[in-house]
Amino acid sequence: MNTPNKLTMLRMILVPFFLLFLLVESIPLHNVWALLVFAAAAVTDALDGHIARSRGLITDFGKFLDPVADKVLTFSALIAFVELGCASAVAVVIMMAREFLVSSLRMVAAGNGTVIAAGKLGKLKTVVTMVSIVIILLLLMAADFGMLSILFPLPEIGRGLVWLSAVITVISGTEYLWVNRAQFTASK
């Protein structure tokens, strides 16, 4: 197993620790630890792709597991935020539905011998979602120290950020399906 694939596996391994720290309030500084673990996992995402491309270490295993690891990390955070009251379940389900649709379209395209790259709106969706998650984690951490809670009500900000991500998700998913609609009628 090469280094990029090991980093992807590490991201998967970090998810349960992230959730443990985020959801178990009896752990001292649990939100600080959650933020640090999430940040470490996000760094592995940036590193594995860079290393794989720059050193010619792209593998089928990596192409399969990297997006799975990304989605597991992202949706673990979003679903935990629902439990914590910082995200709307409806917004998270909308985001999950988009991922299922896009993944399904990619499978259909692959069956037709076509590889579909991520578009600019898809990349924007990823950035907005990741930044939203980090902001919510920072606000949770600040709330632990009694900071910002009066001026910045955490639940409302969290729900607003997740809804913003959901709106961009719908727009990017719609564009993705429209641009690649020929895949639905393509024959082998």
Side-chain angles (χ1 to χ4, degrees):
M1 183 175 293
N2 65 28
T3 300
N5 291 343
K6 288 178 183 175
L7 288 169
T8 300
M9 292 294 296
L10 176 60
R11 187 160 62 257
M12 295 285 287
I13 292 167
L14 288 174
V15 169
F17 293 99
F18 164 69
L19 288 172
L20 174 75
F21 290 127
L22 184 60
L23 298 173
V24 179
E25 294 179 12
S26 62
I27 297 172
L29 302 172
H30 71 104
N31 285 318
V32 173
W33 288 111
L35 176 61
L36 291 173
V37 172
F38 186 86
V43 167
T44 67
D45 185 24
L47 281 177
D48 66 7
H50 173 73
I51 293 170
R53 285 185 298 277
S54 68
R55 297 184 186 169
L57 298 174
I58 297 171
T59 64
D60 287 338
F61 179 76
K63 285 190 267 186
F64 162 73
L65 194 60
D66 183 65
V68 171
D70 295 345
K71 286 168 186 41
V72 168
L73 176 64
T74 301
F75 283 108
S76 293
L78 292 170
I79 292 167
F81 292 160
V82 170
E83 184 172 328
L84 295 171
C86 299
S88 162
V90 173
V92 174
V93 169
I94 288 169
M95 295 168 79
M96 291 176 72
R98 183 260 189 209
E99 294 305 326
F100 286 131
L101 285 169
V102 167
S103 295
S104 297
L105 177 59
R106 283 188 173 142
M107 287 189 293
V108 168
N112 293 331
T114 304
V115 175
I116 302 175
K120 289 180 184 176
L121 281 175
K123 291 178 182 179
L124 175 65
K125 178 254 331 167
T126 300
V127 169
V128 169
T129 302
M130 294 303 270
V131 168
S132 295
I133 290 169
V134 170
I135 290 171
I136 293 168
L137 289 170
L138 285 167
L139 290 171
L140 284 167
M141 187 179 72
D144 281 353
F145 295 105
M147 300 164 44
L148 306 173
S149 59
I150 295 171
L151 294 175
F152 301 103
L154 175 60
E156 289 80 5
I157 291 172
R159 283 192 289 273
L161 288 169
V162 173
W163 269 112
L164 173 65
S165 298
V167 168
I168 294 170
T169 295
V170 168
I171 294 167
S172 72
T174 302
E175 180 217 28
Y176 194 87
L177 292 170
W178 178 254
V179 168
N180 297 292
R181 68 191 178 281
Q183 293 302 316
F184 294 115
T185 59
S187 57
K188 292 182 183 182

